[in-house]
Amino acid sequence: MQSQIKHIHQQLVSKQISCVDLIQQRLDLLKQNSHGSVNSLLDSYALERAQAVDSKIAKGESIGLLEGIPFGVKDVFMLQGTYTTASSTFLKQYKSAYTASAIQKLIDAGAIPIVKENCDSFGHGSSNENSIFGPVNNAKDSALVAGGSSGGSAVNVAKDFTVFSIGGDTGGSVRQPAGYNGVYGLKPTYGRISRYGLMAYASSTDCVGPLAKSVEDICIVLNTISGKDVKDQTTYESVPIDEASLSHTGGIKTVGYFKNLIDNDAMDPSIKADFMDTLDKIKAKGIEVKPLDFLDADTLVSTYYILAMAETASNLSRLDGSNYGNRISAENLIESYAVTRSENFSEESKRRIVGGNQVLSQGFSDAIYLKSLAVRDKISTDFERFFDDVDIVLSPVTPGIPPKVGDGLKDPMAMYLSDAFTVGFSLGQLPTLTVPQGTATGIQITAAKTDDERVLQFAHLLEEKR
């Protein structure tokens, strides 16, 4: 698909459409939508910025590529003066005092945020049903879940309510809903984009990631928001990816896949058959395909959730109603803390906080938490070895198709296991992109650390061959 960003940019420059009309059209669609993807609209803010763009064009001034382009923001990112609720009771009335670095870079480039998007509360979930604003329904079939936790972001892109959206990916929260809704969703190399202003879930794997309808638009947004940030010491200086280089795919000679995960009994037969057919088509292009042996799905999911729950218990310990959030008074301070946290956190958030405190507690940390850290180190080592042999690793995004709304909440363990194909790449801190091809829920393209360009190149190759 062609770049929507470039197409709309040309429409604005040639005055085929005014920026105010463009923004108003998208706001109207968001108001009418029945998918539950909206937490709050930024209409006054967006229209004011649109008027400024139209004024520049009327004066004959040039505008940047992203100037006037409407985008969505997952409701876990700070945007000064707007509600940032994390889809939670706790922060339902919280207004941001500052703006997240990634969002600020887009605003500085002239892009216009128009909506704060529904998500699982504090990013806890894989179905976007753990939200005080209700579930987000799948863009293709409203009876199905949108996936999580960035479900609202994926649906808004899929339905053309936004040109692109910015989500957060900890263990698959951009990639999985992107696959469920048929759009592109990128988890970049950890540290490529600043996390400053993103509410922390699991700090060692949290990533900022764009969702869009084309590889080219993913590349444009990625270049805009990447780079070193003094406010986030995990960031590094990255070289912008030249869009012309996306067609330079000759260096990709070998593709690997995890045979043991594909052969798992939990795999939906149709997903497996479609994925193997995709590998056959890649072989037909003259690219070598190699089976790889990785850790089993249960080990990957267990390791990820032990570490993620430990980190979320630590990160959310600051929420007690004292400094911000919905405080509930009780007989004394301790009781007030207990009631405030019990009443304001969702069942899923409480499940993860309790689990995290358990694995960090005396008598358990050595046996569980420290062993999980060792497994994470092994995963990183294994990936280094894999990428000595292959240029790209391909995998399904999910082992099954999206469940019906309501089904995921009945079985939390099944929800966790739906992340089997995404969490390993998060633990390895690798660049991974969901593309809406190959299976009913897409496929993932993964490369070695900092090699985000190669991921986009291979996605461009697949896009050309559609």
Side-chain angles (χ1 to χ4, degrees):
M1 185 175 183
Q2 69 169 352
S3 166
Q4 287 195 59
I5 292 174
K6 290 184 176 180
H7 176 66
I8 293 172
H9 174 72
Q10 288 301 319
Q11 286 184 314
L12 290 171
V13 170
S14 61
K15 299 182 182 179
Q16 295 177 49
I17 186 173
S18 74
C19 191
V20 168
D21 286 345
L22 169 67
I23 297 300
Q24 190 62 63
Q25 287 171 9
R26 300 301 173 113
L27 288 170
D28 289 344
L29 289 171
L30 286 163
K31 287 175 186 176
Q32 297 164 13
N33 101 81
S34 59
H35 290 267
S37 59
V38 176
N39 282 2
S40 60
L41 291 178
L42 310 176
D43 38 10
S44 298
Y45 174 90
L47 289 168
E48 183 179 335
R49 294 185 64 84
Q51 288 170 356
V53 173
D54 282 338
S55 178
K56 286 183 68 174
I57 294 171
K59 293 175 184 176
E61 298 177 20
S62 62
I63 62 170
L65 184 59
L66 281 172
E67 206 156 352
I69 303 296
F71 73 99
V73 182
K74 183 179 179 180
D75 203 7
V76 290
F77 287 92
M78 302 296 171
L79 177 56
Q80 188 173 21
T82 70
Y83 287 106
T84 303
T85 71
S87 296
S88 70
T89 303
F90 223 128
L91 298 176
K92 189 174 183 179
Q93 299 301 319
Y94 177 71
K95 279 192 174 181
S96 306
Y98 63 98
T99 299
S101 292
I103 307 304
Q104 189 62 58
K105 285 184 175 183
L106 289 166
I107 292 172
D108 291 345
I112 301 178
I114 63 172
V115 59
K116 299 298 283 292
E117 298 168 320
N118 198 353
C119 58
D120 283 304
S121 181
F122 292 106
H124 300 158
S126 301
S127 64
N128 214 142
E129 296 173 281
N130 299 302
S131 168
I132 61 166
F133 298 102
V136 179
N137 302 106
N138 193 286
K140 300 177 181 178
D141 183 347
S142 292
L144 306 180
V145 303
S149 59
S150 307
S153 302
V155 167
N156 286 340
V157 170
K159 301 296 290 185
D160 290 320
F161 300 154
T162 61
V163 175
F164 66 90
S165 287
I166 300 299
D169 190 306
T170 304
S173 294
V174 163
R175 291 163 286 154
Q176 187 242 41
Y180 278 2
N181 293 280
V183 299
Y184 290 82
L186 175 69
K187 185 199 83 65
T189 299
Y190 180 81
R192 186 182 182 98
I193 303 171
S194 173
R195 293 176 293 117
Y196 179 75
L198 165 65
M199 288 188 194
Y201 167 15
S203 303
S204 67
T205 55
D206 285 345
C207 289
V208 178
L211 300 99
K213 278 194 164 181
S214 71
V215 180
E216 200 171 3
D217 284 348
I218 290 285
C219 184
I220 292 168
V221 177
L222 178 65
N223 283 338
T224 303
I225 60 180
S226 295
K228 183 76 174 172
D229 183 4
V230 295
K231 297 172 183 174
D232 179 358
Q233 294 305 304
T234 64
T235 54
Y236 64 91
E237 201 60 62
S238 56
V239 177
I241 298 170
D242 183 357
E243 288 178 51
S245 74
L246 296 182
S247 60
H248 301 162
T249 58
I252 301 173
K253 305 291 187 184
T254 311
V255 167
Y257 74 100
F258 299 132
K259 186 176 186 301
N260 61 313
L261 293 182
I262 297 299
D263 290 339
N264 191 295
D265 291 339
M267 279 292 298
D268 182 286
S270 65
I271 298 284
K272 179 178 179 178
D274 288 346
F275 180 73
M276 297 308 294
D277 183 57
T278 297
L279 293 181
D280 287 339
K281 291 176 181 176
I282 289 169
K283 288 179 188 176
K285 294 182 176 74
I287 297 173
E288 184 182 3
V289 174
K290 285 187 177 182
L292 305 171
D293 190 27
F294 199 31
L295 295 173
D296 64 89
D298 288 344
T299 300
L300 288 170
V301 172
S302 298
T303 301
Y304 167 75
Y305 275 103
I306 287 168
L307 297 176
M309 287 181 178
E311 291 184 35
T312 201
S314 176
N315 282 325
L316 292 184
S317 64
R318 73 193 73 178
L319 285 178
D320 55 24
S322 297
N323 294 315
Y324 39 73
N326 181 37
R327 181 182 177 87
I328 300 174
S329 298
E331 294 181 6
N332 55 57
L333 186 61
I334 299 300
E335 283 295 315
S336 182
Y337 286 161
V339 173
T340 295
R341 288 170 66 82
S342 295
E343 294 296 323
N344 284 314
F345 281 125
S346 69
E347 290 304 308
E348 183 59 34
S349 292
K350 286 189 278 191
R351 186 179 292 118
R352 298 187 187 207
I353 291 169
V354 170
N357 284 325
Q358 176 79 357
V359 301
L360 291 173
S361 63
Q362 187 174 3
F364 288 93
S365 61
D366 288 354
I368 301 176
Y369 179 69
L370 295 182
K371 283 186 179 178
S372 295
L373 289 177
V375 174
R376 183 173 69 182
D377 290 341
K378 173 178 168 41
I379 288 170
S380 294
T381 301
D382 284 349
F383 276 124
E384 289 179 8
R385 176 169 52 84
F386 292 147
F387 287 114
D388 284 339
D389 293 333
V390 301
D391 301 309
I392 288 289
V393 170
L394 282 188
S395 72
V397 180
T398 63
I401 60 176
K404 290 182 178 180
V405 174
D407 287 356
L409 297 179
K410 299 173 187 175
D411 189 354
M413 188 56 66
M415 181 180 69
Y416 299 157
L417 289 172
S418 71
D419 297 334
F421 285 105
T422 56
V423 295
F425 303 125
S426 294
L427 291 169
Q429 301 185 335
L430 304 174
T432 308
L433 174 70
T434 289
V435 299
Q437 300 156 49
T439 79
T441 57
I443 55 175
Q444 278 182 116
I445 304 168
T446 305
K449 267 187 185 180
T450 72
D451 205 356
D452 302 59
E453 181 179 49
R454 179 161 288 185
V455 168
L456 298 184
Q457 286 174 336
F458 195 77
H460 183 71
L461 174 67
L462 294 180
E463 191 176 52
E464 282 189 326
K465 300 298 182 183
R466 291 178 77 170

